């Protein structure tokens, strides 16, 4: 049984490492995060005013948003289309609030 303990310890460490590692995707507050949320909103059928969102960013971040949004638009063809009511409402709130820093 002593050989099992190191294996369990290794598995536990791997599991904990998974909890500590940040989720994949852009950090909140970045143009890339906003682009990801806009893309998901399109997937959910939520109306999006991209012009207003772009205008909410400083000039130096607008190009980053546009590039990221184009990248996500290509990926969204394979994205799940189903959205729950709660997710749709959350997206609408986020998009009304605009980009945050």
């Amino acid at each position: 049984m002593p050989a099992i303990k190191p294996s369990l310890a290794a598995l536990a460490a791997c599991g904990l490492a998974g909890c500590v590692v940040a989720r994949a995707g852009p950090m909140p507050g970045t143009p890339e995060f906003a682009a990801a949320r806009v893309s998901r909103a399109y997937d959910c059928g939520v109306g999006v005013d991209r012009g207003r969102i772009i205008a909410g960013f400083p000039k130096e971040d607008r190009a980053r948003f546009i590039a990221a949004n184009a990248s996500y638009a290509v990926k969204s063809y394979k994205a799940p289309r189903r959205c729950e009511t709660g997710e749709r409402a959350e997206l609408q709130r986020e998009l009304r609030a605009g980009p945050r820093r």
Side-chain angles (χ1 to χ4, degrees):
M1 285 266 198
I4 293 176
K5 287 184 183 178
S7 298
L8 292 176
L11 286 174
C14 289
L16 290 175
C19 293
V20 174
V21 173
R23 65 173 169 64
M27 295 292 297
T30 64
E32 294 80 12
F33 182 80
R37 299 308 285 165
V38 165
S39 178
R40 185 62 183 148
Y42 279 124
D43 291 343
C44 292
V46 174
V48 177
D49 182 358
R50 285 182 69 240
R52 186 184 65 76
I53 292 170
I54 292 169
F57 281 110
K59 287 184 181 184
E60 61 272 8
D61 288 343
R62 291 176 186 171
R64 286 175 50 199
F65 172 83
I66 292 168
N69 192 236
S71 166
Y72 285 115
V74 171
K75 293 176 188 174
S76 73
Y77 293 119
K78 297 179 183 176
R81 301 287 179 192
R82 182 176 171 187
C83 293
E84 301 296 328
T85 306
E87 181 182 13
R88 188 173 287 111
E90 178 184 348
L91 286 166
Q92 288 172 331
R93 277 192 307 275
E94 286 179 14
L95 294 173
R96 271 195 305 268
R100 288 173 257 155
R101 288 266 161 188

